Amino acid sequence: MSKDRTYALITYGCQMNLHDAERIGGILRASGWLETSPEEAAAVILLTCCVRESAEERFYGRLFSLRPLKEKGTLIAVGGCLAQKEGLRLLERAPFVDLVFGTRQYPRIAHLLEEAEKGPLCALEMVSLDYTDLPAERRERFRAWVTITHGCDNFCSYCIVPFVRGREASRPISEVVEEVGRLVDDGVKEVNLLGQNVNSYRRREEGKSRFADLLRLLGREYPGIWIRFTTSHPRDFDRDIMSAIADTEAVCEHVHLPLQAGSDRILSAMRRGYRSDEYLSKVADLRRIVKGVVLTTDIMVGFPGETEDDFRRTLEMVQRCRFDAAFTFMYNDRPGTAAARLPGKVPAQVKLERLERLATLTRSLTSASLADRVGRVEKVLVEGLSRKDPGRWRARTRGNQLVHFPKGEEDLTGEFVEVSITSAGSWSLYGQNVGLIGRRGDRDLP
Ligand code: SAH
Ligand code: SF4
Ligand code: F3S
């Protein structure tokens, strides 16, 4: 680049994007680039999400606010899911953008930025991804994401992800195990295995082929860390996976199992591949097999054709499953998906009203779940200082519940601590530190 090789990254969307941003950072760093603020940077890179309209609106707002930088000569690059979906249309809508790159192009980011200096460029090819030698600039030293599958083959009728992330592919087991090993050597205490549907992880080498085997193998090799995974798909979440969670000490007792809707008619129109009774029986098995499991979910209201009766079934399922927490969304059309072509669109006002009724219920379940923990001693991993109160630490239990506790002299970031839970709020637990468990590097001491 003619100017200094400095970049800024602005990331939207899910953990896949946050992790892609770490890879982009790592690749650019390895090519001699330095990170800085958007105002100072020679190149501003935005990683986008298009799963819901609101994500797109937030991105466009930010993109147009960057136009003055362009006048100073800053290169503007837009990558990720919305870039994959819009391609050239994005250049038409925002002609000041220099580079549009898709979800499988970021390994070439350094080269693409150089090329975009010569004129606007759009790189969207869905090549297969090979992570083996990709560096990553991790945002946290004690916690890391590890991709185990990319893409998604499920084509739930409302969802844009399979169109923008491409076909599902599982990484070789040996590669995943090696990557986790390198992270553990680096002092990482928690890994989060990533995929749109981790339960369908499947490889045929080394006699080990499925997600449950991967959990057991990682747990055997690295017993001292915490292992999480996201996202599970109810259709593929089987008893073997539940047993692997229960039997493997390293694997945390938290399952995020998106329900989406409670009515069988709507589940079928969503092409989710399960009925409500099957979901309920999996939840019963899970609670029996994995003692004390924390169960979270995603739910959508206002799918085309959703009646008041369908919505009541969603409320009923939420009651019966007693979710510990839920992310709730209003359905919106994603052009190109099957659901976007369905009749019976639910008016915005009705969607909003249902969302509020649902959120009232899920909030009360979350409060009850948190209150249930009061009086226990929980092992937690400290993430850093509380965002609201710098006099407290922010930490997470094995069940992924947030805990705040008073800060002392010592820096506990990235440490396992035992906390006695003294009270519960709406979103978080409060407690007192009762002891530090195994400091980083202890295993190197005589
Ligand atoms: N792979 C994961 C996450 C997909 S996106 C899964 O299968 O669950 C995260 C959540 O966004 C979904 O679970 C769904 O609840 C929501 N979502 C996806 N498409 C949507 C749409 N068109 N409108 C509203 N919410 C949507
Ligand atoms: Fe979308 Fe369904 Fe795939 Fe999740 S499983 S990413 S909701 S298509
Ligand atoms: Fe994630 Fe949004 Fe893409 S949810 S996969 S960044 S569309």
Side-chain angles (χ1 to χ4, degrees):
M1 303 218 46
S2 49
K3 274 170 55 175
D4 289 346
R5 291 177 167 224
T6 51
Y7 72 94
L9 255 171
I10 301 169
T11 309
Y12 298 89
C14 66
Q15 286 139 322
M16 318 279 158
N17 260 13
L18 290 167
H19 185 50
D20 289 353
E22 293 187 333
R23 297 279 180 186
I24 289 175
I27 294 162
L28 288 178
R29 183 64 64 106
S31 319
W33 289 68
L34 290 177
E35 189 169 9
T36 182
S37 68
E39 292 69 31
E40 302 290 318
V44 175
I45 305 164
L46 297 108
L47 266 193
T48 57
C49 171
C50 57
V51 75
R52 283 173 293 277
E53 227 162 74
S54 51
E56 294 198 7
E57 282 158 11
R58 269 201 308 281
F59 153 72
Y60 276 116
R62 185 72 192 265
L63 178 65
F64 285 100
S65 81
L66 292 173
R67 204 166 10 188
L69 290 181
K70 173 72 185 194
E71 277 141 35
K72 290 194 336 195
T74 310
L75 192 141
I76 310 275
V78 180
C81 297
L82 179 67
Q84 187 73 53
K85 173 160 89 72
E86 293 299 307
L88 284 170
R89 281 194 301 265
L90 211 150
L91 286 178
E92 283 161 20
R93 181 159 172 190
F96 58 93
V97 169
D98 300 282
L99 168 64
V100 175
F101 64 100
T103 53
R104 299 198 176 203
Q105 287 291 319
Y106 65 83
R108 301 169 61 213
I109 186 68
H111 171 72
L112 290 174
L113 289 176
E114 303 269 353
E115 287 298 303
E117 273 256 286
K118 301 174 198 156
L121 185 65
C122 192
L124 298 174
E125 205 192 331
M126 283 275 190
V127 290
S128 66
L129 279 174
D130 178 4
Y131 280 85
T132 330
D133 295 316
L134 285 186
E137 181 93 348
R138 290 190 290 109
R139 298 183 326 152
E140 292 172 321
R141 63 189 157 78
F142 59 91
R143 210 164 42 167
W145 289 300
V146 174
T147 304
I148 63 167
T149 67
H150 358 253
C152 183
D153 284 349
N154 285 315
F155 289 93
C156 301
S157 63
Y158 51 81
C159 186
I160 194 74
V161 171
F163 298 92
V164 294
R165 289 264 164 186
R167 296 292 56 76
E168 183 182 287
S170 298
R171 279 177 80 190
I173 285 188
S174 53
E175 216 179 284
V176 173
V177 174
E178 269 166 43
E179 185 171 329
V180 174
R182 277 196 302 274
L183 292 167
V184 172
D185 288 343
D186 252 16
V188 162
K189 300 255 182 90
E190 178 186 302
V191 297
N192 198 333
L193 309 176
L194 282 186
Q196 295 297 348
N197 173 8
V198 286
N199 303 157
S200 66
Y201 178 87
R202 185 172 284 273
R203 292 294 298 194
R204 296 193 195 286
E205 77 266 33
E206 301 155 43
K208 301 278 177 207
S209 62
R210 299 168 60 242
F211 182 58
D213 304 311
L214 178 65
L215 288 181
R216 291 194 178 100
L217 183 64
L218 287 173
R220 237 188 349 264
E221 295 280 326
Y222 310 110
I225 59 166
W226 280 6
I227 299 171
R228 300 187 187 281
F229 52 90
T230 190
T231 296
S232 289
H233 191 298
R235 187 197 53 219
D236 300 317
F237 189 62
D238 59 23
R239 283 201 201 140
D240 193 27
I241 298 174
M242 299 177 201
S243 303
I245 302 170
D247 304 342
T248 313
E249 171 61 27
V251 177
C252 290
E253 297 79 16
H254 170 219
V255 177
H256 185 68
L257 195 64
L259 166 66
Q260 309 298 4
S263 141
D264 289 336
R265 212 174 57 80
I266 298 295
L267 283 173
S268 157
M270 285 177 165
R271 297 194 196 141
R272 287 291 287 175
Y274 53 86
R275 292 186 315 268
S276 56
D277 60 341
E278 291 167 322
Y279 188 97
L280 276 174
S281 100
K282 292 202 185 205
V283 168
D285 285 344
L286 177 66
R287 294 214 190 268
R288 186 170 39 78
I289 296 170
V290 185
K291 298 280 176 257
V293 67
V294 169
L295 178 65
T296 59
T297 198
D298 290 350
I299 301 166
M300 217 184 290
V301 299
F303 186 83
E306 186 189 69
T307 61
E308 174 63 22
D309 181 59
D310 292 318
F311 174 64
R312 288 220 184 106
R313 285 171 202 266
T314 296
L315 293 178
E316 193 188 309
M317 277 294 280
V318 170
Q319 281 281 16
R320 293 179 74 178
C321 296
R322 285 179 292 111
F323 294 112
D324 296 279
F327 295 98
T328 54
F329 308 104
M330 279 190 282
Y331 166 83
N332 54 59
D333 278 339
R334 301 286 70 205
T337 62
R341 296 189 291 275
L342 288 178
K345 294 283 146 55
V346 177
Q349 195 50 40
V350 176
K351 285 198 274 191
L352 192 61
E353 183 248 353
R354 287 182 188 164
L355 187 74
E356 279 165 8
R357 283 158 69 197
L358 176 62
T360 305
L361 173 60
T362 59
R363 266 199 304 270
S364 74
L365 290 176
T366 299
S367 300
S369 158
L370 293 171
D372 198 41
R373 262 83 191 164
V374 175
R376 300 192 201 182
V377 172
E378 296 260 5
K379 182 175 174 183
V380 300
L381 180 62
V382 181
E383 292 180 351
L385 289 178
S386 154
R387 296 197 180 102
K388 281 200 195 128
D389 175 0
R392 289 177 194 271
W393 292 113
R394 186 185 75 242
R396 282 190 191 265
T397 64
R398 286 176 66 89
N400 210 32
Q401 289 178 312
L402 205 53
V403 182
H404 290 97
F405 64 95
K407 179 173 164 292
E409 292 294 294
E410 207 175 2
D411 183 3
L412 294 179
T413 311
E415 301 293 348
F416 287 125
V417 175
E418 283 204 317
V419 172
S420 150
I421 307 298
T422 50
S423 66
S426 310
W427 305 112
S428 157
L429 297 164
Y430 296 90
Q432 293 293 333
N433 178 358
V434 291
L436 190 64
I437 309 167
R439 261 206 169 279
R440 213 182 358 266
D442 270 4
R443 63 203 152 85
D444 300 322
L445 296 174

